[in-house]
Amino acid sequence: MEENKQVTDTSVGVIAYLTLIGFIIALILNNDKKDEVKSFGAFHLRQSIGLMISGLILMIGLVILTVILTLISPTLAITLSGILYPVIYLGMLALLIIGIINAANGAKKELPVVGPFITKTFGKAFE
């Protein structure tokens, strides 16, 4: 029975990283868990929502930067956007994959770079 509990935990953790709809499904699944089982899913729910919010903030900031640079120098804006957008997208994708792998392996590891900030910001949310 202990093994089945771990499989359910990892599925909640993995589902949390799969889009906003996956996050909502994982949130609902995690609410049905007992307290001792709930913390693993809650940890990955926090990491997932933190990653989504970080990505959204980065993209909004990049759009604002692009608009400002377009007013100053359209060529510079195009060049910088052509470099920064893919770098940020690939970075976010890498963090997403790391989160999914951690959840699938049953590990409660924070995401690199943003993980400690997410843990500090969201504290004990979703438990």
Side-chain angles (χ1 to χ4, degrees), residues 88-99:
I88 289 175
Y89 279 121
L90 289 175
M92 297 304 289
L93 179 63
L95 290 174
L96 180 71
I97 291 170
I98 290 169

Side-chain angles (χ1 to χ4, degrees), residues 58-118:
L58 277 172
M59 286 301 128
I60 290 171
L62 197 51
V63 167
I64 292 169
L65 178 66
T66 303
V67 169
I68 292 170
L69 287 177
T70 302
L71 297 174
I72 298 169
S73 170
T75 307
L76 179 64
I78 291 170
T79 305
L80 219 54
S81 295
I83 295 169
L84 289 178
Y85 276 99
V87 167
I88 289 175
Y89 279 121
L90 289 175
M92 297 304 289
L93 179 63
L95 290 174
L96 180 71
I97 291 170
I98 290 169
I100 291 171
I101 290 170
N102 286 342
N105 289 334
K108 284 175 72 173
K109 290 171 141 180
E110 293 177 337
L111 295 171
V113 183
V114 295
F117 177 73
I118 292 169

Side-chain angles (χ1 to χ4, degrees), residues 4 6 13 24 27 31 34 45 52-53 70 78 89 99-100 103 111 117 120 124:
N4 189 19
Q6 181 64 29
I24 293 168
L27 185 60
N31 280 335
K34 293 186 172 96
L45 283 165
M52 286 184 226
I53 291 170
T70 302
I78 291 170
Y89 279 121
I100 291 171
L111 295 171
F117 177 73
K120 183 179 162 188
K124 298 284 183 191

